Amino acid sequence: MRISQFMVLGISAIILLFLNSCFKRSLSDDKDLQFGRSYLGEKLMSHFPLNDVNDTYSMLVDTVSFHTNTINMGLALFNSDADERIKKALNDYKSKKLYSDNDSCIVVLNDFLYEKDLLNILGVIYPNPNEYDPNLDYNKVYKSKIFKSCKDKYEVVPNFWNAFYAKGINTRSHLDRNFKFIIIDSQFSDTATWSPKLDPSKSYMPDPVRHGYSRGIAFNERERIIIYWVILW
């Protein structure tokens, strides 16, 4: 399945999923990935690979800045390519701490929406109650939880609940518990955002991560999946 047309980023929720069968192709030729690089900038996207891939990959662009004031871009690689890339990531970022989903310093993007906020957002996305997805328990999408026991800097990771490889997984990030996170870089602010598409006055995230950006890598060695991401909120 391939969706080739972009809507204007920041206007409404956009979820783009690209599945490519097992033949060699260059990520540098992927127009949608290049569009993301030009939109978000090379600094935020510099950890995304550009070289050839030999197996299935998917690309997710989820921009819901009009609703929850967030921008999320991810590239997931599977199977044999993932094996080598996981090894490379562990070597390239060996000085970085590995986090798990339940680490006390991990914060999940948009994990702090109150029920009234969620209903307001869904009311915009689904103005007709009959259009709600009956298979999704909206009250469980966001769990409104932060660990007060964190003794270090909080780090923010994406909420993967709308990715096809995360469906039905009951963790905060909605990734399998065998995933590990490498936070490459992150910055937070009470009042500033890192994109003109985001509204500094609106945030569904708590202090001290009210606004910010985070970029990193999530990987699962057992399932042979590696995900490169960048998020802004």
Side-chain angles (χ1 to χ4, degrees), residues 3-9 14 16 18 30-33 35-36 59 61 63 73:
I3 303 173
S4 59
Q5 295 182 339
F6 266 95
M7 293 175 63
V8 177
L9 287 175
I14 308 172
L16 301 180
F18 306 91
D30 192 297
K31 294 180 180 179
D32 304 299
L33 182 58
F35 180 86
M59 187 172 156
V61 179
T63 62
M73 186 168 188

Side-chain angles (χ1 to χ4, degrees), residues 105-165:
C105 290
I106 285 294
V107 179
V108 179
L109 187 66
N110 284 332
D111 200 30
F112 300 87
L113 287 163
Y114 292 102
E115 184 177 356
K116 63 179 179 61
D117 299 322
L118 185 59
L119 291 175
N120 288 336
I121 292 168
L122 292 173
V124 174
I125 300 176
Y126 300 102
N128 183 348
N130 294 327
E131 295 179 8
Y132 281 64
D133 183 349
N135 297 314
L136 181 62
D137 185 344
Y138 292 102
N139 290 324
K140 293 183 179 179
V141 172
Y142 301 101
K143 299 187 178 181
S144 302
K145 185 175 183 180
I146 189 169
F147 291 100
K148 302 296 186 181
S149 58
C150 175
K151 303 301 182 184
D152 200 353
K153 177 186 175 184
Y154 283 107
E155 295 290 0
V156 181
V157 301
N159 196 324
F160 293 93
W161 72 276
N162 51 13
F164 77 95
Y165 46 80

Side-chain angles (χ1 to χ4, degrees), residues 204-219:
Y204 291 103
M205 296 288 279
D207 295 332
V209 294
R210 178 173 167 79
H211 292 293
Y213 77 83
S214 173
R215 61 191 187 101
I217 295 171
F219 65 90

Side-chain angles (χ1 to χ4, degrees), residues 3-225:
I3 303 173
S4 59
Q5 295 182 339
F6 266 95
M7 293 175 63
V8 177
L9 287 175
I11 298 300
S12 60
I14 308 172
I15 301 174
L16 301 180
L17 180 63
F18 306 91
L19 296 179
N20 296 270
S21 56
C22 298
F23 60 90
K24 189 173 183 178
R25 65 171 293 166
S26 175
L27 289 174
S28 62
D29 295 331
D30 192 297
K31 294 180 180 179
D32 304 299
L33 182 58
Q34 296 312 310
F35 180 86
R37 284 182 177 274
S38 66
Y39 178 77
L40 293 174
E42 185 59 33
K43 177 184 176 181
L44 292 178
M45 296 282 292
S46 61
H47 62 298
F48 277 58
L50 278 175
N51 48 326
D52 293 344
V53 293
N54 295 304
D55 288 289
T56 302
Y57 77 90
S58 72
M59 187 172 156
L60 178 69
V61 179
D62 186 2
T63 62
V64 289
S65 58
F66 183 74
H67 303 296
T68 60
N69 217 38
T70 63
I71 298 173
N72 179 7
M73 186 168 188
L75 171 68
L77 296 167
F78 307 86
N79 302 321
S80 61
D81 270 345
D83 288 337
E84 296 303 315
R85 294 173 195 274
I86 290 171
K87 292 178 183 178
K88 184 178 187 303
L90 288 171
N91 181 66
D92 290 347
Y93 303 106
K94 56 188 175 183
S95 63
K96 300 289 186 180
K97 177 181 176 180
L98 291 181
Y99 293 89
S100 60
D101 179 273
N102 62 355
D103 191 288
S104 62
C105 290
I106 285 294
V107 179
V108 179
L109 187 66
N110 284 332
D111 200 30
F112 300 87
L113 287 163
Y114 292 102
E115 184 177 356
K116 63 179 179 61
D117 299 322
L118 185 59
L119 291 175
N120 288 336
I121 292 168
L122 292 173
V124 174
I125 300 176
Y126 300 102
N128 183 348
N130 294 327
E131 295 179 8
Y132 281 64
D133 183 349
N135 297 314
L136 181 62
D137 185 344
Y138 292 102
N139 290 324
K140 293 183 179 179
V141 172
Y142 301 101
K143 299 187 178 181
S144 302
K145 185 175 183 180
I146 189 169
F147 291 100
K148 302 296 186 181
S149 58
C150 175
K151 303 301 182 184
D152 200 353
K153 177 186 175 184
Y154 283 107
E155 295 290 0
V156 181
V157 301
N159 196 324
F160 293 93
W161 72 276
N162 51 13
F164 77 95
Y165 46 80
K167 296 297 185 184
I169 297 177
N170 189 29
T171 62
R172 291 190 300 153
S173 66
H174 296 89
L175 288 181
D176 184 277
R177 296 187 187 278
N178 290 304
F179 271 91
K180 300 296 182 183
F181 299 93
I182 300 173
I183 311 298
I184 297 173
D185 182 28
S186 64
Q187 291 189 41
F188 310 129
S189 169
D190 290 337
T191 58
T193 63
W194 277 262
S195 170
K197 297 291 185 181
L198 300 179
D199 181 359
S201 68
K202 182 170 70 172
S203 175
Y204 291 103
M205 296 288 279
D207 295 332
V209 294
R210 178 173 167 79
H211 292 293
Y213 77 83
S214 173
R215 61 191 187 101
I217 295 171
F219 65 90
N220 186 328
E221 292 181 282
R222 189 174 73 175
E223 299 295 331
R224 303 166 74 192
I225 304 174

